[in-house]
Amino acid sequence: MGLIRFPSLVSSVNCFGRSRSLHERNYQSDVPKGHLAVYVGETEKRRYIVPIAYLDQPLFQVLLRQSEEEFEFDHPMGGITISCNEDEFVKLTNKLKAL
């Protein structure tokens, strides 16, 4: 499945990047259709908005399996929590954007 790139549907959300601060966002309305929020980091978790198309990508699935092993279905942040180095996550998403 090819990656479909949408123009930003919500001007305050940078797709593939960090979203607004905790105090400025409404958790449901700031995630554009076709995207999901994930929380990334080893200690401090940061919220990223990614396309749901990433769920089909093998590289992203590896992170999801690791998350499942660590957190099972108890995600303390309320969304998918991925415990990995934030820089590595950004590198991975940049690779997926290029596909």
Side-chain angles (χ1 to χ4, degrees):
M1 177 178 182
L3 179 65
I4 300 172
R5 296 178 190 210
F6 294 99
S8 178
L9 299 174
V10 179
S11 63
S12 61
V13 175
N14 179 8
C15 293
F16 318 117
R18 253 183 41 199
S19 63
R20 297 177 288 166
S21 74
L22 285 171
H23 301 289
E24 294 176 332
R25 66 176 173 242
N26 177 322
Y27 286 98
Q28 293 180 356
S29 69
D30 76 339
V31 179
K33 184 174 181 176
H35 291 73
L36 70 137
V38 295
Y39 296 87
V40 179
E42 294 171 312
T43 54
E44 180 182 332
K45 307 291 187 216
R46 294 220 170 126
R47 187 170 186 250
Y48 286 82
I49 307 298
V50 297
I52 59 171
Y54 284 7
L55 297 174
D56 288 333
Q57 299 296 323
L59 290 173
F60 199 77
Q61 289 176 2
V62 168
L63 288 179
L64 292 177
R65 278 193 290 279
Q66 290 172 350
S67 174
E68 181 183 17
E69 289 172 10
E70 182 169 344
F71 294 104
E72 295 175 345
F73 292 105
D74 179 29
H75 294 277
M77 300 298 291
I80 295 174
T81 305
I82 300 174
S83 184
C84 74
N85 180 287
E86 194 173 348
D87 291 335
E88 292 301 316
F89 180 80
V90 170
K91 287 178 189 176
L92 180 125
T93 57
N94 285 334
K95 286 181 185 179
L96 294 176
K97 280 196 297 190
L99 295 177

